[in-house]
Amino acid sequence: MIKRLQSFDHRVFVWCNQTISNRVFDRLFGGITHLGGATFTILSALLIAWAAFEALDITAYQSAIALTVSHLIVVLIKRIVRRDRPFRVLEQVKIGNFPLKDYSFPSGHTTAIFAVITPLLFLVSPLPTILLIILAALVGLSRIYWGYHYPTDCLAGSLIGFGSGWLVVYLMHVLGNT
């Protein structure tokens, strides 16, 4: 089972990193990948808190707390799992401008963007919800495209980010109603 998962992971990685590679995706994913970075996600949570009207105020705090919790989880898992990044293991990997030195599993960028958007998903109507999820998924795809992560790294990151966001929203709701 693990061998089949690794084989699937590598095939999807090669498809994203090499087969679909072109100038349009280079530009698109070159910008999108930074939306999951620390600078963007932290500033987004702070900007939402600063500019928010009352309904968004608590959501901004939820995003910031979820981002913090998910980051701690990612750091812990990376230290335990120690999965090398694809560009360190595979040949002919197309890599972005900033080769990272830490471990690959799970994707911190994907985790961060999902942690920040998840509390927002409880407030917005279906169309913005779909757009936010697509944007977050594109961040994960960009991390594969640039050779930083395997698909399972990004899938795990999305689950950690979403789970952290959902848990923070749930706990704040339960604690706020007691």
Side-chain angles (χ1 to χ4, degrees):
M1 177 71 171
I2 291 176
K3 290 277 189 200
R4 286 177 27 175
L5 181 60
Q6 286 175 332
S7 174
F8 176 77
D9 216 18
H10 287 184
R11 283 195 317 269
V12 173
F13 172 83
V14 168
W15 181 80
C16 290
N17 180 258
Q18 296 165 15
T19 305
I20 66 169
S21 180
N22 63 61
R23 276 193 211 155
V24 173
F25 284 161
D26 286 355
R27 292 189 59 84
L28 175 70
F29 291 135
I32 286 177
T33 199
H34 299 295
L35 298 180
T39 302
F40 183 82
T41 54
I42 292 168
L43 288 177
S44 293
L46 293 174
L47 184 61
I48 293 167
W50 177 74
F53 52 91
E54 195 171 311
L56 268 181
D57 194 30
I58 191 70
T59 304
Y61 293 114
Q62 291 169 340
S63 289
I65 294 167
L67 181 61
T68 303
V69 168
S70 67
H71 175 73
L72 295 173
I73 293 169
V74 165
V75 168
L76 180 65
I77 293 173
K78 282 186 184 229
R79 288 185 180 168
I80 293 169
V81 174
R82 297 176 164 244
R83 184 180 198 186
D84 282 329
R85 292 188 180 271
F87 67 83
R88 298 193 184 285
V89 177
L90 304 174
E91 295 180 16
Q92 300 177 342
V93 171
K94 175 181 181 166
I95 186 158
N97 295 330
F98 307 104
L100 303 169
K101 296 179 181 169
D102 65 340
Y103 294 105
S104 179
F105 184 88
S107 167
H109 280 67
T110 308
T111 301
I113 192 70
F114 272 93
V116 168
I117 71 157
T118 297
L120 294 169
L121 301 179
F122 293 94
L123 282 183
V124 296
S125 61
L127 181 60
T129 296
I130 292 167
L131 294 175
L132 286 171
I133 292 170
I134 289 171
L135 180 66
L138 285 173
V139 169
L141 182 60
S142 76
R143 304 306 289 169
I144 302 164
Y145 183 86
W146 286 116
Y148 298 128
H149 291 286
Y150 295 102
T152 51
D153 300 342
C154 296
L155 177 61
S158 67
L159 294 173
I160 293 166
F162 178 79
S164 298
W166 182 87
L167 184 63
V168 167
V169 169
Y170 175 77
L171 289 175
M172 288 183 83
H173 176 72
V174 168
L175 295 174
N177 289 333
T178 56

